Every structure is written in structure tokens, then in C-alpha cells.
Amino acid sequence: MPGAIYAEGLVKTFGEVRALDGVDLDVPEGTVLGLLGPNGAGKTTAVRVLTTLLRPDSGTAVVAGIDVLKHPNEVRRAIGLSGQFAAVDEYLTGRENLRMVGRLYQMTGKAAKARADELLERFNLADAADRTAKTYSGGMRRRLDLAAALVVRPPVMFMDEPTTGLDPRNRQQLWDVIQELVAGGTTLLLTTQYLEEADHLAHDICVVDQGKVIARGTSDQLKAQTGGERVEVVVHEREHMNGARAVLAGFGKGETTVEQHTRKLTVPVSGGAKLLAEVIRELDSRGIDIDDIALRRPTLDDVFISLTGHAAALNDEEVQK
């Protein structure tokens, strides 16, 4: 049985650009799918199709059991959306923005006011509630937009890079809100470029690039595809970089990458902390002084480079122009 968000064979072109090239998605009810990929991969286009803002050239999309193409108005009543850019009325106050959304969803005036007050407090906007949104900082507008998407507690949520522009404290706060929603049965499709965000929130991840799903799995499974652990060494003297490279070649499971300006060398390995101790002993025996050494798992950049082979420069909106 299809999940709360289901798509099969979605295709969308803009001129010669295939923004979506046969995308399939299936998100079980009450779970989070992280849609991961570089800029221009098709993440925002997929969200716009699933939220009825864009009609695909072909394919099937069902959200909350409702066909997106046949019954778009019904889909809109069942979803919440926080887009890539904050969509708030600059000439209304924060409180008025949220109350307006509630009234548009046919909440009573009393219920809309109570929900607005609750969300303003939840997103640390209570002190600025009666200021016009045009006086808000970028991060405050983002939080207000996220609050607006949650006014009616929708069963299905779409968040398109929701933490862009948020400081660490507010990012963590949003993560807490998302986890509360999902614990209550909400289904969420989350697009992000931050693997740590998907790692923290998503039950499953789809990686998209050039309009296609190129990998699926949990965060750990995707990291494993990039080659497991890595040893990073920063040598003290630039003249010792060749020697350090020779040492790492003896322990590595692949090519050693070198950053001359930072004097850092990185090599994929297997063996964990025990191997790290052996590397340190070998460097010391050769008289190679180091400023830093670490064993780490793959980063977001590692996953992107391994899976896509590049970092795209355009976002979806730029592709569509």
C-alpha cells in the first residue's frame, strides 16, 4: 500500500532541462523522508509538484491518499508547506500573519488567536509578535514562515530547506518541533543539503541529482557507500607532507587527498581507533610532527562527491528561468 506521500515516474522539464527525470518516492505514514542533493538536483521541483504548485509532464503523485493531479484543492487542505524562501506578509505583524493563516483555514477567531499565540511562543517570536514582519531579521522571517506552516497541524508536511539562515539554537528548536510532529503521526518530506540534519531527523533518505534518484537508504548506509572511515592528518611542516603521504598510503584503502594550503592529508581506511594509533606511531618513528590527527566518518561533502561526482551551482528556481 502506498505511503502518505507517493510518487511514481515524475517528469518535469523546463526547455531542455529535465528537472525531474522519473522520480519515485514512497514515504510511510508517520515517518520523515530526507530528500538530499546538491543545488539544482530537483528537490524543490519535486516539492512543488507534490504540493500542487507545479504540474508534472508525466507521472503519478498521491499525497494523504489523494491524487495530486485530480484533486489539488483537497490535497492543499491536507498539507502544510514551508518553502525555500519565507512567504510572509511584510505589512502585517507576526501575530496578524499567523491569525490570518488560521482564518484562511476556516478556524474560529478565538482558535486562530490561541494557535498564533502558542506558535509565537514556540518559535521565540513572542517579543516581536506585534512588530510588522518587514522589521524582522531573515532568521525571524524564516521562523515565522515555519510557524505559519504549522497553524492547522496538517497530517502531511513539506519543508524545503527549512533551517537555511537559522542559528544553531533555532535550528535545534525546529528539530524538536519536527520530532514532536512526527511522534504525533505527521508525515514529513524534508529537503536539505545538510547530511547532519537528515541524519538527525530522517528515517530514510533519497539522494537526487540531475532530476534522478541516485541512492536510497538510511544515513549510515549512505555514508558507508563513500568508503567508511577516514584518517585526517595536519602536518606541522609543509616539507613533511610527502613523507606523511607515504605513511598514509601504507594504511589507506584508497587514494590520499592533499590540501597544500592547510597541510592536511586525508585517506579512506578501515580499522578504527586501533589503526589511528598505528598511524601516529609510524609518523613519530619517521620524525614527522603533526598539528592534528583525527578519525572521522564521511561528511556531507564526501557523500556528495562520491554519489554525484560534482557540486551543482544552480538552484531549482534558477534552472526554471
Side-chain angles (χ1 to χ4, degrees):
M1 181 177 178
I5 303 172
Y6 176 78
E8 183 177 352
L10 289 182
V11 174
K12 182 62 183 178
T13 60
F14 299 97
E16 297 181 356
V17 177
R18 293 178 73 85
L20 297 178
D21 192 6
V23 169
D24 299 331
L25 300 172
D26 193 357
V27 189
E29 184 177 346
T31 67
V32 180
L33 176 70
L35 198 58
L36 189 70
N39 290 335
K43 303 188 302 295
T44 295
T45 301
V47 168
R48 294 182 66 190
V49 167
L50 292 167
T51 57
T52 78
L53 297 177
L54 193 64
R55 191 175 182 88
D57 299 331
S58 62
T60 301
V62 178
V63 174
I66 307 166
D67 190 297
V68 171
L69 300 181
K70 294 180 180 178
H71 306 289
N73 288 333
E74 292 182 28
V75 171
R76 291 167 194 151
R77 285 192 285 268
I79 65 173
L81 168 64
S82 177
Q84 203 170 67
F85 304 101
V88 298
D89 190 322
E90 293 189 346
Y91 295 96
L92 297 180
T93 66
R95 192 186 311 277
E96 289 169 342
N97 265 282
L98 298 184
R99 292 178 67 177
M100 176 185 69
V101 172
R103 296 296 284 156
L104 288 172
Y105 275 97
Q106 301 181 344
M107 295 173 68
T108 66
K110 182 178 181 180
K113 181 180 183 300
R115 183 60 172 158
D117 291 344
E118 177 186 347
L119 289 168
L120 288 165
E121 193 70 38
R122 189 72 179 86
F123 283 89
N124 286 336
L125 291 169
D127 291 343
D130 297 312
R131 284 168 41 194
T132 56
K134 66 180 179 181
T135 68
Y136 284 15
S137 67
M140 291 172 69
R141 291 188 191 193
R142 190 60 172 152
R143 281 145 52 200
L144 181 61
D145 180 68
L146 292 165
L150 299 174
V151 166
V152 293
R153 299 182 176 90
V156 179
M157 277 289 303
F158 295 86
M159 292 187 175
D160 193 5
E161 301 192 14
T163 60
T164 300
L166 297 184
D167 60 38
R169 181 171 65 89
N170 284 308
R171 181 178 292 117
Q172 181 61 58
Q173 185 180 55
L174 176 60
W175 289 359
D176 293 342
V177 170
I178 289 173
Q179 289 175 321
E180 290 174 10
L181 287 170
V182 176
T186 298
T187 305
L188 172 64
L189 189 149
L190 169 75
T191 79
T192 181
Q193 295 186 56
Y194 306 124
L195 185 59
E196 61 270 27
E197 186 161 86
D199 195 3
H200 190 84
L201 297 172
H203 298 87
D204 290 295
I205 295 172
C206 279
V207 181
V208 294
D209 188 39
Q210 298 182 358
K212 297 180 180 181
V213 175
I214 61 172
R216 303 174 192 263
T218 66
S219 177
D220 286 343
Q221 289 169 339
L222 293 179
K223 290 175 183 178
Q225 290 184 31
T226 67
E229 300 166 318
R230 280 153 168 70
V231 167
E232 287 185 349
V233 176
V234 178
V235 299
H236 184 66
E237 299 289 345
R238 198 176 302 277
E239 63 192 45
H240 287 155
M241 291 186 69
N242 287 337
R245 185 171 188 169
V247 170
L248 293 180
F251 292 96
K253 299 297 182 181
E255 183 178 353
T256 302
T257 59
V258 179
E259 297 179 14
Q260 291 287 343
H261 63 292
T262 59
R263 307 185 308 282
K264 183 170 74 173
L265 301 93
T266 306
V267 66
V269 299
S270 60
K274 181 179 179 181
L275 179 136
L276 189 63
E278 294 175 2
V279 172
I280 293 172
R281 283 195 293 270
E282 183 63 22
L283 289 169
D284 184 61
S285 70
R286 299 196 185 193
I288 299 174
D289 294 329
I290 59 174
D291 290 337
D292 192 23
I293 187 168
L295 180 71
R296 66 167 177 81
R297 301 185 70 192
T299 65
L300 173 65
D301 289 341
D302 297 327
V303 172
F304 274 4
I305 292 171
S306 174
L307 294 175
T308 71
H310 69 90
L314 299 178
N315 61 35
D316 287 2
E317 282 74 15
E318 289 171 321
V319 168
Q320 295 168 25
K321 291 180 180 178

